[in-house]
Amino acid sequence: MPRAGLDPAAVTAAAAGLADEVGLANVTMGLVAERLGVRTPSLYKHVASQADLNRRIAALALVEVGDKLRDAMQGRAGRDALAAAAHTLRSYVVEHPGRYSATLPLNPQGPDDPIAIGGARVLESLAAVLAGYDIDPADTVHAMRLLRSLFHGFATIEAAGGFEMDTDVDKSFEWLIDFIDRGLKN
Amino acid sequence: MPRAGLDPAAVTAAAAGLADEVGLANVTMGLVAERLGVRTPSLYKHVASQADLNRRIAALALVEVGDKLRDAMQGRAGRDALAAAAHTLRSYVVEHPGRYSATLPLNPQGPDDPIAIGGARVLESLAAVLAGYDIDPADTVHAMRLLRSLFHGFATIEAAGGFEMDTDVDKSFEWLIDFIDRGLKN
DNA sequence: AGCTAAAAGCTAATAGAGTTAGCCAACGAT
DNA sequence: ATCGTTGGCTAACTCTATTAGCTTTTAGCT
């Protein structure tokens, strides 16, 4: 019998896909193995543990979202950049709720942890958004935290089905972008 | 041997305490039982399952935070009310990260689900904050979502240790309250 | 006080998930 | 073609949730 030809990336990708489909909490090692056409213990040749797998999913999500953010913001500034970043982030979380939720327990184990690297890239994009506004350098870190908290919170609540009357969530999101844009212009 | 005298509330309280100490994910039925001086299966006389227990923890957290919000906002309006609500929420999440994290998978099973009731009370307090500002009624729901997303996001990220340079997180939080206050005043 | 039925704990047992150990076959480099 | 490495498999173990069935406390009633 030929081999399955797996590697850590393939296992991570399968797990991430499952996470989006059934929720991160329901991603079992057995389910991942089944998806890959392999027996459960075989996974341990590629990932150290389920915790390790979750960390890899988180890193994958951060890299993906970082890439999308960078792409979406090419050549944009000010309100345009803000809107692009916001929509990109929101779309990603809605499309990939499982992988995104893996990023919540942020425990980078060091500066070269893929999670830290991916996270830093996301933060770079947020910093790029702020660069389009005239902000007191002393307030930049505060503004970064504002964006991060707001987008993360909104996306998380939406992904969890936390908003009633789903109909005008889009409108709320636009309103919210506008609110931030006006505020950042002082 | 006399009985332990448990009831659903006692089990929930023990589990919530453990959640704050060791993290919700590490709250095992065995651990809860041990804390209560009882054997694991005995817990099932009071709660239906671990999922049920988690829902009870979530409901408890929402009621607690709802009460604290109500108290903190007595007689305050405008910026004062906003700051009181923000600080109350943040303190609660920092002090009770475990129980709070149980509220994330919001799936109220109906209008009389304790989770829905507790959540509604929290939302009431947020609405009271907004009542202190002059907001177009059509925008109220958007503003509610703004507050909810922002506070939830900030608290979640902070509880997860997601902010570097922890020193000035307090300052960021104040800045953020100010930002929202100014924005809500149009 | 004694009786009885419900409730609360306990022990024993089952099922499912993560993980480890050790075996064997496939694959790449020589 | 062969040899060492690597990837996959089976078997086995642990830990956790959950159920079944038994026993005893306990509250309410007479």
Side-chain angles (χ1 to χ4, degrees):
Chain A
M1 316 92 190
R3 285 188 184 171
L6 301 182
D7 58 18
V11 175
T12 304
L18 279 171
D20 291 338
E21 294 170 27
V22 303
L24 185 65
N26 300 317
V27 174
T28 177
M29 296 301 266
L31 203 56
V32 175
E34 186 183 9
R35 166 72 51 107
L36 291 166
V38 125
R39 300 304 187 125
T40 306
S42 306
L43 298 180
Y44 290 83
K45 291 291 160 110
H46 306 289
V47 299
S49 64
Q50 195 175 44
D52 175 42
L53 179 55
N54 283 344
R55 299 178 60 76
R56 287 172 190 270
I57 295 173
L60 171 66
L62 288 172
V63 167
E64 284 178 349
V65 85
D67 282 352
K68 283 182 193 275
L69 278 175
R70 180 174 304 212
D71 290 353
M73 289 176 50
Q74 285 292 3
R76 293 177 202 270
R79 205 212 119 101
D80 267 9
L82 174 66
H87 282 119
T88 301
L89 238 155
R90 182 184 174 213
S91 303
Y92 187 83
V93 177
V94 168
E95 284 166 30
H96 302 293
R99 333 146 116 74
Y100 184 76
S101 69
T103 67
L104 288 185
L106 315 126
N107 340 323
Q109 304 292 43
D112 38 345
D113 183 330
I115 290 181
I117 295 173
R121 285 182 55 186
V122 172
L123 292 186
E124 268 175 43
S125 289
L126 292 189
V129 168
L130 293 179
Y133 293 89
D134 188 30
I135 298 178
D136 184 338
D139 294 338
T140 310
V141 59
H142 304 320
M144 287 271 287
R145 288 171 174 170
L146 165 69
L147 295 184
R148 227 179 125 192
S149 300
L150 185 60
F151 293 153
H152 174 75
F154 191 94
T156 301
I157 295 175
E158 183 178 17
F163 293 130
E164 318 297 329
M165 313 170 280
D166 314 57
T167 43
D168 54 359
V169 171
D170 288 352
K171 229 176 276 179
S172 287
F173 197 65
E174 296 300 330
W175 184 91
L176 202 140
I177 292 172
D178 231 65
F179 183 94
I180 299 297
D181 176 59
R182 282 198 308 267
L184 289 178
K185 283 174 179 154
N186 282 348
Chain B
M1 315 91 193
R3 286 190 184 169
L6 300 182
D7 58 18
V11 175
T12 305
L18 279 171
D20 291 337
E21 293 170 28
V22 303
L24 185 65
N26 299 317
V27 174
T28 176
M29 296 301 266
L31 203 56
V32 176
E34 185 183 9
R35 167 72 52 108
L36 291 167
V38 127
R39 300 304 186 130
T40 306
S42 305
L43 299 179
Y44 290 84
K45 292 289 160 129
H46 306 289
V47 298
S49 65
Q50 195 173 45
D52 175 42
L53 180 54
N54 284 344
R55 297 178 61 75
R56 287 172 190 269
I57 295 173
L60 172 65
L62 288 173
V63 167
E64 284 179 349
V65 86
D67 281 353
K68 283 180 192 275
L69 279 175
R70 179 174 305 212
D71 290 353
M73 289 177 51
Q74 285 291 3
R76 293 176 202 271
R79 205 211 119 100
D80 266 9
L82 174 66
H87 282 119
T88 301
L89 238 155
R90 183 184 173 213
S91 303
Y92 187 83
V93 177
V94 169
E95 285 166 30
H96 302 294
R99 337 146 112 75
Y100 184 75
S101 70
T103 67
L104 288 185
L106 318 124
N107 338 324
Q109 305 291 42
D112 36 347
D113 183 329
I115 290 182
I117 294 172
R121 284 182 55 187
V122 172
L123 292 186
E124 268 174 43
S125 290
L126 292 189
V129 168
L130 293 179
Y133 293 90
D134 189 31
I135 297 178
D136 184 337
D139 294 337
T140 310
V141 59
H142 305 320
M144 288 271 286
R145 287 170 175 172
L146 165 69
L147 295 184
R148 228 178 126 191
S149 299
L150 186 59
F151 293 153
H152 175 74
F154 191 93
T156 302
I157 295 175
E158 182 179 16
F163 292 130
E164 318 298 328
M165 312 169 281
D166 313 55
T167 43
D168 55 358
V169 171
D170 288 353
K171 229 176 276 180
S172 287
F173 196 66
E174 296 302 330
W175 184 91
L176 202 139
I177 292 172
D178 231 66
F179 183 94
I180 299 297
D181 176 58
R182 282 198 308 268
L184 289 179
K185 284 174 178 156
N186 282 347

